[in-house]
Amino acid sequence: MTRPNMFIVHVSDAPAAARFYGDLFAMEPAFEAPRFIAFGLGGGVQLALWSGATENPAGPRTTAEVCLNLPDAPASVDACHAEWTAKGVTIVEEPHDAVFGRTFVAADSDGNLIRVAPFD
């Protein structure tokens, strides 16, 4: 059975977005090309940042979230929020308790959402 192995986040400036995500998640790109940069997440899965979506402006635009699941919640979620706030990351949803546990949502400079939540 085939499974998804790459998640693509549409951005306006791939190198700037790569610096943001690289710093946020303490990782280095595994692949770099003009307007497309990918990070290895382990197990053959990648997170890619692509600024080439404007080549087809009539194409569909979707909304999704990149999610970082942390152990030892709720303390780890609150600690991550404090760390990201100190870095100047835009927080669009402050930490709160949801049905699945403590969570908050940040955004990159293109408005793409990054949720931090506990492991299920």
Side-chain angles (χ1 to χ4, degrees):
M1 174 176 216
T2 59
R3 296 184 179 151
N5 61 357
M6 180 178 285
F7 300 92
I8 300 173
V9 176
H10 296 265
V11 297
S12 59
D13 182 338
R19 287 189 297 276
F20 173 81
Y21 282 90
D23 178 60
L24 201 62
F25 298 127
M27 58 187 182
E28 295 291 325
F31 176 83
E32 294 183 62
R35 301 185 329 264
F36 186 89
I37 300 172
F39 294 90
L41 301 178
V45 177
Q46 293 186 321
L47 171 66
L49 308 168
W50 183 36
S51 61
T54 56
E55 294 169 353
N56 183 11
R61 299 295 279 168
T62 59
T63 303
E65 294 178 349
V66 171
C67 187
L68 173 65
N69 293 113
L70 298 175
D72 305 320
S76 60
V77 172
D78 289 335
C80 183
H81 175 265
E83 179 185 331
W84 288 10
T85 299
K87 287 184 175 189
V89 174
T90 300
I91 305 298
V92 297
E93 190 176 292
E94 292 294 327
H96 64 281
D97 294 321
V99 295
F100 50 83
R102 191 83 171 150
T103 187
F104 74 91
V105 180
D108 67 16
S109 62
D110 290 292
N112 294 304
L113 302 177
I114 306 161
R115 179 175 297 278
V116 177
F119 278 109
D120 291 336

